[in-house]
Every structure is written in structure tokens, then in C-alpha cells.
Amino acid sequence: MKEFFKVTDLETVFNYRNAFERVSVEKADLTDAIGRILAEDIVAEEDLPDFARTIVDGYAVQGASTFGASEGNPAYLTITGNILMGQSPEFEIAPGEAARIATGGMVPRGADSVVMIEHTEIIDDTTIEVYRSVAPGQNMIAVGEDIEKHAAVLNKGQIIRPQEAGLLAALGRQQIAVYQKPVIGIISTGDEIIPITEKPRRGQIRDINSYTLAGLIKAAGAVARSYGIVKDNFEMLLEKCKLALDQCQMVLISGGSSVGSRDYTVDVLSALRDAKILVHGISISPGKPTILASVNNKSLWGMPGHVVSAMIVFLMVVKPFVDHLGGRSATEGGVQRLQAKLSRNVASKQGRVDFIRVGLRKEDDGLWADPVLGKSGLISTMVNANGLIQIDINTEGLEKGAEVEVIPI
Amino acid sequence: MKEFFKVTDLETVFNYRNAFERVSVEKADLTDAIGRILAEDIVAEEDLPDFARTIVDGYAVQGASTFGASEGNPAYLTITGNILMGQSPEFEIAPGEAARIATGGMVPRGADSVVMIEHTEIIDDTTIEVYRSVAPGQNMIAVGEDIEKHAAVLNKGQIIRPQEAGLLAALGRQQIAVYQKPVIGIISTGDEIIPITEKPRRGQIRDINSYTLAGLIKAAGAVARSYGIVKDNFEMLLEKCKLALDQCQMVLISGGSSVGSRDYTVDVLSALRDAKILVHGISISPGKPTILASVNNKSLWGMPGHVVSAMIVFLMVVKPFVDHLGGRSATEGGVQRLQAKLSRNVASKQGRVDFIRVGLRKEDDGLWADPVLGKSGLISTMVNANGLIQIDINTEGLEKGAEVEVIPI
């Protein structure tokens, strides 16, 4: 190592997020907007619905006309109309009157509730018996009951789920402002790394990190751009970094886990104009040798080379930066941790945050988390895992049976 | 209603999955395969790694040469080589010898372990002091330690996560067999439904279900194809159904919640050659009026018209069919339920499965699920919810404080 570096704790690392500007905003068609991050606050410009709708098939009535009705003592109402779907009825409902209406139909003026067809019987062409009373407002949706005009309904920074798309459709929003997807470059480095298209000679290994990182980037809602493999060569790495920084909002240099590669990454950062190393080592395991630099307001990460470390660092450290760049509000997406019991003791060093790979197993007494052991160079351990547990900086380890929160991966 | 229908319980509905054939298999580039369903079993054709690799920077040695070494009593070893990254060293390590090696480098013949550079000091050009002993196998990955040759590593029906992509990259698989994405048609029906591009007149409402369902279909890994809005007209619906069945593996008829629309759906099913109604009503709430028919081995669903009901039926009933069509193995993706405590009493009728919308709230004592009240025609209730709880058929309701499993939505 060129110099001893002082590791940074995770919380301090996250504070650097605000050093980086969010991506720009673009317009998207509603059909393409699902999964994107909303870039405008949505205020309803109309009541939803803007007319009273029935939610059952039956008869629109004045509730008072049915008060006291029962099987033994039905109310008799006069049919004065039939409401067509999608039409605004011209007539009005008076006491003792009823109009035939189907689910979704508009409740006419005068009526304040709907009797379900199951609670009625037709006596003749103009008369029905009603066996149950309805209260005003029953079996219908009032004007503005879903959304009131002028209500603030969605916030900038929210992810657009299917239901938000439905709400936007209801409000007639064909196009909406969303944040662009951050473009993230991946540069693989290392003299021993070869493209997956090649047959490795002894001592060579295929490029794994480009694929795992591209997958994680995509899952984080961003766009991965691969810059291929760069040998441990200062000039080549510098050129490739400049190119990637030019074309991307964030660049990950992956694979440089050897002393030589680490040196090149630091040298390249020093040679880049306006580059500033913010973090050189993080108090986490795996992932300690991670580097974060700011170059002209873009973030450049020196990722650890081991496949497991690179994945965990992306998920636990880089992803919150991707969320920030992509406009996602900080309160979003934090809650999804699964409760489980740990199936064996796990050791951990104080003074650092440990991330333990686990496999989840469902038993009668709930979920159990089985630690997946194995070196952080083994991709098979991540294939066997479907979660991570985080052991905090002041905890010395966890005992078998401990309640843990599992981050699904 | 034309006839009384006998509702089917959820388990019986799921048994119909096998009545429908899976989609075909196609080849995908590894970069495009993330999130897809693997359609072949993967067996390793080589050891991974196929050479012993160091996972630290240091010296390759015979462990026995370091036994008993300590700060006070170091071992002295002779440097006999320097291992270049990506190269297969020509020389062999004998007792008392050491070769300089960087992380990822190939451990030479004769050596069985690697001393970390931090535990050594250079004495002169050819000699190092070693302050700590290493056991054979320490600080390196043995041949086949990640994956052994001939090992079955991935199974048909698995979803390809970033780590599976990494493993496939490590094995040199540029192209892999994946299941095609099922294509699912959406037909919106109802005289009161208008495209979101239009300004509704009184009594009309914009098409919401096409957007919520398209979003859910996409999230389920399938492709949504919209067939627009069909008025309540037998001929038009029949023609549109034929077209959609021709082009899709599954068709959802959405929006026909009125008596008239329901009738048309059933009439159209009766008029389609080889159509067989499998399910006409399910013992769930919301979502009871759901229809499932098989038409020439394709599934056609009559979805409930209320927006909330349609979403819940898709998530809880239709999605397992989509998973089946798309080749996903049944054991996949079932575990992700969050433990929470219910914040208020919830009533439920025996004899049916109830799905309750909830909002999750993180407190010091864990997650709380707040039931989101409101009619199933209100899209705002789904926007306010981020989970569902399922109350089983024999449960009469849940009390405040009850431990519940929440399905994230």
C-alpha cells in the first residue's frame, strides 16, 4: 500500500451523497413510467370521481324511503327510470322512487344511496319490494371520495408503482415528469481478468464483476454501461476513466483488488483534474478497501475486487448514492427487512459493520437465517444466499437464536 | 345474474395452473438475462477456479515453513520468485522458499498457502521475515473451491439474479436458455370507460385498470399488450377476445363489473370455440366475481371491475398463473412476507379469504400494519397501502396486536 489510509464509517460515507447532483428530469408516457421516480408533485385538478357512482348493481333511492324495511315488512318503491352506463341521468329521484342502476353508473340527483339488487324483488313493471334499509351514502362513492380536487396526492421522489400509475390515469395524466435513469459506467481492471468470451489460461479468470454489477445497477433502476476490461496500465485506465466520466453520472472501477490495481486507481484519481478522494477505506467487512472520489461533481468508486465484496458494497454503500442521483427520496424503500432467527453463532469485530450472507428457511416457528460461510471471493456463496444481515459497529457478534433483520438480495 | 354460480376456493383455483402450457424457450445474451427465468439446468464444465488463487497480497509458501513463527521468533524465508498477474508461474516452491504474489495471482506448485504481506518484513533482496504462521490452504482459494467440475449449480425455473449472472459469467456462458416472457392481453370493457386522453363527461370515468394491470404484468416479468376499451357490445368483445387470444398467452378482460358486462363476458366465453369456464367466482374478498376460462390451452380471465379488486386478484390469484406460464418453479419467490403487528381489529367473514390493504409503519418495537379502510373502488387506498394481509378461510377476524404476515405491494 502506498499509504496507510484512515477508514471512514458508513454514516459519514452516506453524508457525501449530497455532494452529487441529481440527474435531469424528462417526460415519460404513463405506460413507460412504472418503476420510475416521479419528478413532480401531483395535485388533483378535479374531484375523483366527479360524479356519485354506485359500487353495486341495484336501485338508486333516497335512503329515507327504505328506513325500517325488512323481509317481513318490505318497502315498496316506484321505478321511475333506468340509468345507462356512462350517461348522466336527466331525471331526479323523489321520496318513494327508485331507478335501476348497474355498478359504475351515475347516481341521479335526489338519490343518496343504492339498494343492492339482492335485497329487492320486482313486483311489476313499475314497482319493487325492498327488504333491507340503506343509509345515506351506502353502496356508492361520493364526489371526491377517492381524491378531492386540489389534494396533493403524490410527491416528487416517489417510485411509481402500478397503483400510482392507476391514480395518474384516473387524473388523465398521459405524460409525467420523471427523473432520468442514472447512467453508471463499469470499468473492469486486472491483468488476470479476461472477457467471458475467452477461454482462460492458467492464472486467468473470467470477468464476473461486470455482470454482477450490471445486474445490481439495473435492479437499482439505473442504466449500466460497460467499458470492458483494462489491464493494469496507468495510461489506459486514465483514458478509460475520462471517457466513462464524460458519458456517465457515476463510474465503478472494479476488480482492482491487487496492490498494483489499487495503486493505479489512486494514481489515476490523482491525475484527473478536479478529482477529490472523499473516502479511502470504509469500516465495513467485506468491502473495506472501497474508494470514493468526486470528479467534477460525478462520483467515481474504486470497488473491492472480490466478487462478494463488490456486490455487498454496491448493495449497502453505492445503492443509496444511486437512489440519491436518481431523485428517489430518502424515506423511500427502507422498510423491506425480513424478521428471522439466526441459526448459529456469528462472530464479528467491534469497530466495523459486518455484512453476513444468509439463506432464509421457512419453518413452522417462522423464518430462520442460515449464515452462508465461505470466502468473499466465492460467487457460489452469493448464489446460495438470499439475504444479508448487518451487524453494527458496536456489536461483537450474534448468538444462535438471535432475532435478526434480513435484507433480501 | 344469469345463473347462481358456485364459488371456488383459492387452492382449487391454483390447481388449474397445470392446465396451461408453459411458454417457449429462447436464447438470451447473459447481459439481457437478469430477471429472466432460467430454462436449462446448469452444470459446471470446469472447476472454478481451475487454479489455486491467493485472496491476499503476500507470499506463496509451504505452510510448514512458517510453523511456530511469531514476532519474537520470526521465520526466515528465501524469495525465489515474483508471480505476475494472469500468468502461470514456471517455478515451484520448496520448503523455506517464498514467492511474491498479489491478490488474484496463481499460487505456484509446491506452495499450499499465502502469508499476508502485513505479517512479513523484507530483510534484503532475497530474504523476508515472517511473523505469523499460516496453515495449509489459508488465504487462498483451492481448485474447485467455488464450484467443482460437474456440479449442478443452477436449476431450470430459477430467476436469474445478479449473482446467478456472475456465476454464469464465471463459467463462460455468454448465451443461456431462458423462458420467453408471457404476453398478456388487457381488454378494458364498459360503456362508462373512456381513454385517459379524453375528458370525461358526467357519468364517464377514465380507464384505470389498463394501467394498473399493465404495471403488475410488467412487475411479474411478463409483457402487457393493451387492446383498448370495448363498449358493452357482444360482437365487438367477441372479436377483440379472438384477436387477443390469438396474440397472447393470457387475456384479462377488465372493467366489466356491471351485470351487463359480466353477462357479455360469459356470453363471449360461450361463443368461443373450445372455451371452458373453469372458475366462476372465487371465495375471496375482494375479487369474488372473478372468472377463469380455458380457451385452446390459453387462459382468459374475467377480472372484477373495481380497481382495488382487480389489483388484488392479479397479485393473489393471477400472478401464480403468470409464474407458471413463464416457467418459474413453484418454490421460487414465496418467502418475502414481512412480520408486523396489526394496529387495530379487522373483521372477516368465515368461508372466504380476505385480503386487507395495510400501510407499514416502522416503530421501535418493530413493524406495525395499519389497515387502510375504504371501498374497493378507491384507487387512493392502494396508493396509501404498501402491503396486503391475508385472513384465511377459517379465521373470523384478527385482533389489534395480532402478529401478521404482510405481502409487500
Side-chain angles (χ1 to χ4, degrees):
Chain A
M1 271 161 280
K2 272 213 162 154
E3 52 187 322
F4 277 93
F5 51 79
K6 193 180 165 300
V7 296
T8 307
D9 65 86
L10 210 44
E11 208 169 314
T12 307
V13 174
F14 290 145
N15 286 339
Y16 286 115
R17 272 179 293 189
N18 295 322
F20 303 100
E21 254 175 49
R22 307 207 130 152
V23 293
S24 306
V25 170
E26 65 187 12
K27 286 275 174 190
D29 281 338
L30 183 54
T31 36
D32 301 323
I34 286 163
R36 303 290 297 272
I37 308 297
L38 191 61
E40 57 174 321
D41 294 322
I42 303 287
V43 173
E45 287 174 7
E46 54 198 72
D47 280 310
L48 197 67
D50 71 347
F51 61 93
R53 302 177 74 203
T54 173
I55 56 173
V56 298
D57 299 326
Y59 295 89
V61 300
Q62 292 192 1
S65 308
T66 68
F67 288 171
S70 68
E71 295 268 346
N73 182 29
Y76 290 87
L77 301 183
T78 306
I79 304 175
T80 57
N82 182 35
I83 294 151
L84 295 173
M85 295 304 290
Q87 306 281 322
S88 177
E90 300 287 314
F91 54 87
E92 210 163 314
I93 297 293
E97 292 183 349
R100 187 86 175 80
I101 193 166
T103 304
M106 176 171 171
V107 176
R109 281 190 312 277
D112 62 12
S113 51
V114 180
V115 182
M116 289 174 77
I117 195 162
E118 294 88 328
H119 303 145
T120 64
E121 197 151 303
I122 295 174
I123 301 298
D124 59 38
D125 281 0
T126 57
T127 315
I128 54 164
E129 280 185 343
V130 175
Y131 301 114
R132 213 179 281 188
S133 69
V134 283
Q138 202 172 332
N139 295 329
M140 54 177 267
I141 297 176
V143 171
E145 186 173 341
D146 201 350
I147 302 287
E148 275 183 29
K149 191 172 177 175
H150 304 313
V153 284
L154 300 176
N155 298 317
K156 192 153 89 164
Q158 270 191 285
I159 191 164
I160 300 167
R161 299 175 297 169
Q163 49 265 61
E164 279 80 26
L167 179 59
L168 290 162
L171 295 172
R173 293 297 306 267
Q174 291 169 261
Q175 286 222 317
I176 37 170
V178 295
Y179 286 99
Q180 291 180 343
K181 293 183 177 191
V183 177
I184 302 180
I186 306 170
I187 302 172
S188 246
T189 67
D191 283 341
E192 80 281 21
I193 308 293
I194 58 161
I196 71 164
T197 48
E198 289 179 21
K199 174 94 189 139
R201 294 195 315 269
R202 280 279 146 91
Q204 295 184 323
I205 197 148
R206 294 191 187 93
D207 180 21
I208 302 180
N209 286 340
S210 286
Y211 293 87
T212 52
L213 291 173
L216 293 170
I217 287 167
K218 191 179 165 198
V223 174
R225 185 179 286 201
S226 179
Y227 288 86
I229 300 161
V230 179
K231 297 289 172 197
D232 290 329
N233 173 302
F234 172 80
E235 288 299 335
M236 282 160 65
L237 187 56
L238 181 63
E239 282 317 300
K240 202 64 106 174
C241 275
K242 282 181 180 169
L243 178 67
L245 282 166
D246 210 47
Q247 299 175 331
C248 306
Q249 275 90 42
M250 179 190 277
V251 176
L252 311 179
I253 301 178
S254 141
S257 65
S258 72
V259 180
S261 300
R262 275 202 305 268
D263 283 353
Y264 286 122
T265 301
V266 173
D267 288 349
V268 162
L269 286 173
S270 311
L272 283 166
R273 282 223 306 175
D274 303 308
K276 196 179 158 203
I277 296 182
L278 304 174
V279 174
H280 193 174
I282 305 177
S283 54
I284 56 173
S285 174
K288 183 177 165 187
T290 304
I291 297 169
L292 167 61
S294 157
V295 188
N296 277 326
N297 194 29
K298 292 180 171 182
S299 49
L300 193 154
W301 295 84
M303 302 288 284
H306 293 310
V307 288
V308 176
S309 314
M311 285 193 76
I312 290 179
V313 166
F314 186 91
L315 286 164
M316 305 311 301
V317 186
V318 180
K319 187 171 176 299
F321 284 77
V322 178
D323 286 347
H324 169 80
L325 287 185
R328 197 160 181 177
S329 53
T331 48
E332 280 281 319
V335 133
Q336 308 283 45
R337 297 189 172 200
L338 305 170
Q339 298 292 319
K341 282 184 281 290
L342 197 59
S343 68
R344 47 173 289 170
N345 295 345
V346 172
S348 159
K349 272 197 195 148
Q350 275 195 321
R352 73 178 188 203
V353 173
D354 278 275
F355 296 104
I356 312 293
R357 291 151 273 174
V358 298
L360 286 166
R361 174 167 46 89
K362 203 172 170 71
E363 297 291 344
D364 288 343
D365 61 348
L367 277 184
W368 283 83
D370 301 318
V372 176
L373 305 175
K375 293 159 187 160
S376 64
L378 306 179
I379 184 69
S380 57
T381 62
M382 288 301 272
V383 170
N384 294 331
N386 51 12
L388 292 178
I389 58 176
Q390 175 170 342
I391 305 184
D392 281 330
I393 204 154
N394 294 318
T395 308
E396 226 177 299
L398 293 171
E399 296 208 340
K400 180 179 169 173
E403 290 282 347
V404 290
E405 287 193 336
V406 179
I407 303 148
I409 60 171
Chain B
M1 272 160 280
K2 270 212 163 154
E3 52 188 321
F4 277 92
F5 51 79
K6 193 180 164 302
V7 297
T8 308
D9 65 87
L10 210 43
E11 209 169 315
T12 307
V13 174
F14 289 145
N15 286 339
Y16 286 114
R17 271 179 294 189
N18 295 322
F20 303 100
E21 256 175 47
R22 308 207 129 153
V23 294
S24 306
V25 169
E26 64 186 14
K27 286 275 174 190
D29 281 339
L30 184 54
T31 35
D32 302 322
I34 287 162
R36 303 290 296 271
I37 308 297
L38 191 62
E40 58 174 320
D41 293 322
I42 303 288
V43 173
E45 287 174 9
E46 54 197 72
D47 280 310
L48 198 67
D50 71 347
F51 61 93
R53 303 176 74 204
T54 174
I55 56 172
V56 298
D57 298 327
Y59 295 89
V61 299
Q62 292 191 0
S65 308
T66 67
F67 289 171
S70 68
E71 295 268 346
N73 181 29
Y76 290 86
L77 301 183
T78 305
I79 305 174
T80 58
N82 183 34
I83 294 151
L84 296 174
M85 293 305 289
Q87 306 282 320
S88 176
E90 301 287 314
F91 55 87
E92 211 164 313
I93 297 293
E97 292 182 350
R100 187 86 176 79
I101 193 167
T103 303
M106 176 170 170
V107 177
R109 283 189 311 277
D112 61 12
S113 50
V114 180
V115 182
M116 288 173 78
I117 196 161
E118 293 89 329
H119 303 144
T120 65
E121 197 150 302
I122 295 172
I123 301 300
D124 59 37
D125 280 0
T126 57
T127 316
I128 54 164
E129 281 186 342
V130 175
Y131 302 115
R132 215 178 280 187
S133 69
V134 281
Q138 200 172 334
N139 294 330
M140 53 179 266
I141 296 174
V143 171
E145 185 174 340
D146 200 351
I147 302 287
E148 274 182 31
K149 192 173 176 173
H150 304 312
V153 284
L154 300 176
N155 298 316
K156 194 152 88 163
Q158 270 190 283
I159 191 164
I160 300 167
R161 298 174 298 169
Q163 48 264 61
E164 280 79 25
L167 178 58
L168 290 162
L171 295 171
R173 294 296 307 266
Q174 290 170 262
Q175 285 222 317
I176 38 171
V178 295
Y179 287 98
Q180 292 180 344
K181 292 183 178 190
V183 177
I184 303 180
I186 306 170
I187 302 172
S188 247
T189 67
D191 283 341
E192 78 281 23
I193 309 293
I194 59 161
I196 71 164
T197 48
E198 288 178 22
K199 175 92 188 141
R201 294 196 314 270
R202 279 282 145 90
Q204 295 183 323
I205 197 148
R206 294 192 187 93
D207 180 19
I208 302 181
N209 286 339
S210 285
Y211 293 88
T212 52
L213 291 173
L216 293 170
I217 287 167
K218 190 180 166 198
V223 174
R225 185 179 285 202
S226 178
Y227 288 88
I229 300 162
V230 179
K231 298 289 172 196
D232 289 330
N233 173 302
F234 172 79
E235 289 298 336
M236 281 160 66
L237 186 57
L238 180 64
E239 282 317 299
K240 202 64 110 175
C241 274
K242 282 181 178 169
L243 177 67
L245 282 165
D246 209 47
Q247 299 177 331
C248 306
Q249 275 92 42
M250 180 189 276
V251 175
L252 312 179
I253 300 178
S254 139
S257 63
S258 72
V259 179
S261 300
R262 274 203 305 269
D263 283 353
Y264 285 122
T265 302
V266 173
D267 287 349
V268 162
L269 285 173
S270 310
L272 283 166
R273 283 221 308 174
D274 304 308
K276 196 180 158 203
I277 295 183
L278 304 174
V279 174
H280 193 172
I282 305 178
S283 54
I284 56 173
S285 174
K288 183 177 167 189
T290 304
I291 297 169
L292 167 61
S294 157
V295 189
N296 277 325
N297 194 30
K298 292 180 173 182
S299 48
L300 193 154
W301 295 83
M303 303 288 284
H306 292 311
V307 288
V308 176
S309 314
M311 285 193 76
I312 290 179
V313 166
F314 186 91
L315 286 164
M316 303 312 300
V317 186
V318 180
K319 187 173 177 300
F321 284 77
V322 178
D323 286 347
H324 168 81
L325 287 186
R328 197 160 181 175
S329 53
T331 49
E332 280 280 319
V335 133
Q336 308 283 44
R337 297 189 171 201
L338 305 169
Q339 297 293 320
K341 282 183 282 291
L342 196 59
S343 68
R344 48 174 288 170
N345 294 346
V346 171
S348 160
K349 272 195 195 150
Q350 274 194 321
R352 73 178 189 203
V353 174
D354 278 276
F355 296 104
I356 312 293
R357 291 152 272 175
V358 298
L360 285 166
R361 173 167 46 90
K362 203 173 170 69
E363 297 292 343
D364 288 343
D365 62 348
L367 278 184
W368 283 83
D370 301 319
V372 176
L373 305 175
K375 292 158 187 161
S376 64
L378 306 179
I379 185 68
S380 56
T381 61
M382 288 300 272
V383 170
N384 294 333
N386 51 13
L388 292 178
I389 59 175
Q390 175 171 343
I391 305 184
D392 280 330
I393 203 155
N394 295 318
T395 307
E396 226 178 299
L398 293 171
E399 297 207 340
K400 180 179 169 174
E403 290 283 346
V404 290
E405 287 192 336
V406 179
I407 302 149
I409 58 171

